[in-house]
Amino acid sequence: MSKKANSGFEEIFPRKNYIVGFPRIGEQRELKKVLELYWSGKSTFAEIEEVASTLKARHWNYQKDAGIDFIASNDFSLYDNMLDTAVLLGAIPQRFKGLEAEELYFSMARGNKDAVAMEMTKWFNTNYHYIVPELSPKDSYALNAKKILNEYKEAKALGIKTKINLIGTITFLGLSKRVDRGDTYELFGKILPVYEALLAEIAKLDDKITIQIDEPIFVKGVEPKVLSLIKPCYDALCAVSDNIKIIVTTYFEHSNEATKVLVHTPVWGLGLDFLYGEKNVESLPLIAKSGKQLITGVVDGRNIWKNDITKTASLLENIAKEVPKENIIVSSSCSLLHTPFTLKYEEKMDDEIKNWLSYAVEKLSEVSLVSKLFFNETLSAEETQALEANKKANHKRKNSTRIHNQAVQNRVSHFSKLEREGDYETRIKLQKELLSYKDLATTTIGSFPQTPEVRKARADFKKGAISKEVYEQEMKNYIDECVAFQEECGIEVLVHGEPERNDMVEYFGEQLDGYSFSQNGWVQSYGSRCVKPPFIYGDISRPKPMTVDWMTYAQSKTAKIIKGMLTGPVTILNWSFVRDDIARGDVSKQIAVALSDEVDDLQNAGIKMIQVDEAAFKEGYPLRVENIANYESWAVRDFKISVSTAKQETQIHTHMCYSEFNDIIRTIEAMDADVISIETTRSGNELLKIFKEVGYKQEVGPGVYDIHSPRIPSVEEIVAQIKLLLEVLPKEQLWINPDCGLKTRKWEEVKPSLINMVKAVEIVRKGL
Ligand code: GLN
Ligand code: ZN
């Protein structure tokens, strides 16, 4: 590393602590609100910009006030950072060419009357979703740096000299797709010059600028071909200007393969996650030798728990045994984008639980305090108090009986019944006889339209505005209508429609001990959409049955079979914030044991089919191949535990919101559900072929129409779709259903669609 290039930075930055990035939606979801007003034509773009400026200033000031040295700009976005990067590089898909500015931007994100939106997918293993850039070798790319340059100036005008956040070249390519299905990395030579041009522009902005270049793709254990791009990429970027210092940042896992290369480039620093990437410690000797700065991710950026400052201090001391203290900068483990904003608005939360939590704003003070302790700085009276309070809160959390329930722990650790009665062949034979459903039996995934009336009844009941009796009557009326409609249209296996559920995880969380809810714990999911995940703070148990009354009520209204409806343990886990004091697999097992009681209660109450949804099963997959086997082993175990109480004649269904099963087909099979419904509509029968290839024996319900659009599928279309399915699997193995739950649709769409689905099945059956 060039000594000359490094000089001058010490005076500008105290270089002690660092935040990878900050959430942007606003502590009262201000950005969401103004975006949605604008999209519905009720506000102007200028109003969006005004809100955005206010939020940026507020977020920078929060960080400044907390004593953070490295504060980011360009972590803000009106929709998504990958989308921003596509615009920055001029990677505009053909169908949006000709549009400009905000019209272009929001059309790419959300589509317009002439062009469909760009695809969206999960950001690594978080619940954030990014826009997938579309690249073509025919396109040429050109820099549009306005947003980045302006944001830097905006902060500077407020007296804050920011580090500039960018998504790295290699990650950008790795997460994009080629419209011609080619390899995106082949476009490296076209994209890199645009980054160089960008850095040249940035270099002119100011004296000595730090740039954080995010390369999270490195944590996935990249292939040699990709590794070989790292050196040329960072040699080139570092050569752009002496005025720039580059930090390459990764998070969510270790990135040791990439670190080995990066230490031989002129980058100034490496940002590593030491919480979710514990193995990064293996790179410490190399980093020490390179003399590079180590941005040390030690305060959890993606959960809601208060940092254990004593524990963090010892982690840092261990790191400092290898890397000199003067090269260490204390940091959040990743962008705080994945946590809610501030505890300030949690007015209703139980004080004891609230005292265990820390959202983004609180995490800023933690990073600051941890760094002061590490660098032996004198603490103010306030900070000394905060430190004491932190120790106390952590001590209480370790010992609270609200968290640690001996009875639950005993039962769960001794719970060893994994296999249900009977092997699949025996079970299915018995079930087919007893339940006497036909080949190509029709059913749905569980929910029916959530009407404004149903939502209002739930909200009113929650507020105490209506009595339990009135509320239950309303729900029963809905169930009556739902059952009546399904009978009328001739569906064979019915559902109750889920009117009592606001959300498939929240509903169970509310009834399980060890779960809690926030009032304002919103986290951005994509664009303007936020989710408020419930959180698991303690040992999980089920005080009483959760769904039995609704199910038996529905069953009392029909002679047909009502399919019970539960959310599976892995999905409950993956869509919650999870306690960090025991392994995820242990939490999941507790949920599974609680669910196994529910399954037993349901069958004893006369429910003959039970669906255990694992919508988020695939989402929990680890980023690194070497960790998959472990995840699969407990995820499959816990699905099996939840249904282990089912008798042979009780038919167990599951549902997954995926269509790609190629890489996990054996795992799905090992879950041993009798029937699985999946989301394959949009790919014809292509993605179903894997079921045939591996000789999958259980029954399958591939979605025959797409519920994600308001379009009503015609009878002919569904007939054609069923015929496609029959090319792959025999009729005895197939169920016919929509591809997901219907709660986001309107009755006007659902009714004709299901009527058409049933007609289509009749036509196909006649032809067989
Ligand atoms: N049973 C749930 C429903 O129909 C499943 C939801 C989902 O797959 N996301 O709403
Ligand atoms: Zn689904």
Side-chain angles (χ1 to χ4, degrees), residues 31-155:
L31 182 59
K32 170 197 175 69
K33 289 169 193 163
V34 72
L35 282 171
E36 289 174 1
L37 281 177
Y38 171 77
W39 293 332
S40 63
K42 292 186 201 114
S43 100
T44 62
F45 188 66
E47 287 170 78
I48 296 186
E49 286 184 306
E50 209 179 297
V51 171
S53 293
T54 311
L55 292 178
K56 280 180 268 184
R58 188 194 293 158
H59 303 163
W60 285 322
N61 281 319
Y62 272 142
Q63 297 176 72
K64 187 177 159 195
D65 294 346
I68 301 300
D69 303 322
F70 286 88
I71 301 173
S73 62
N74 200 39
D75 54 347
F76 191 84
S77 176
L78 291 182
Y79 201 93
D80 165 53
N81 292 120
M82 278 294 281
L83 176 61
D84 295 347
T85 311
V87 171
L88 164 80
L89 302 171
I92 313 297
Q94 200 55 44
R95 64 188 182 283
F96 301 109
K97 293 250 163 87
L99 299 177
E100 270 176 39
E102 63 269 19
E103 203 194 346
L104 168 67
Y105 186 80
F106 290 127
S107 293
M108 287 167 78
R110 311 178 64 238
N112 60 30
K113 63 179 194 340
D114 307 313
V116 294
M118 292 167 76
E119 199 184 296
M120 193 169 65
T121 195
K122 254 169 89 75
W123 179 247
F124 297 87
N125 56 1
T126 70
N127 288 326
Y128 179 76
H129 300 75
Y130 67 92
I131 298 282
V132 181
E134 297 170 22
L135 309 179
S136 159
K138 290 194 202 118
D139 284 340
S140 53
Y141 298 95
L143 180 65
N144 172 3
K146 215 170 76 192
K147 172 182 186 279
I148 294 186
L149 305 180
N150 286 347
E151 227 170 278
Y152 183 86
K153 291 177 197 160
E154 213 176 326

Side-chain angles (χ1 to χ4, degrees), residues 520-576:
N520 203 46
W522 295 103
V523 181
Q524 190 175 17
S525 168
Y526 66 88
S528 68
R529 290 285 280 268
C530 298
V531 292
K532 194 158 54 115
F535 56 93
I536 299 171
Y537 65 87
D539 292 332
I540 300 278
S541 60
R542 184 196 74 142
K544 58 178 202 301
M546 304 182 282
T547 62
V548 176
D549 287 348
W550 298 120
M551 294 306 161
T552 48
Y553 176 77
Q555 188 63 82
S556 75
K557 292 290 176 169
T558 177
K560 290 188 168 177
I561 296 170
I562 290 278
K563 183 168 63 166
M565 200 55 61
L566 304 174
T567 303
V570 184
T571 298
I572 291 186
L573 189 83
N574 284 338
W575 284 343
S576 304

Side-chain angles (χ1 to χ4, degrees), residues 445-447 498 504 565 575 611 613 615 655 657 740-743:
I445 307 302
S447 58
E498 303 181 24
M504 63 189 290
M565 200 55 61
W575 284 343
Q611 179 173 311
D613 287 322
H655 165 70
C657 301
C740 196
L742 302 165
K743 73 176 189 189

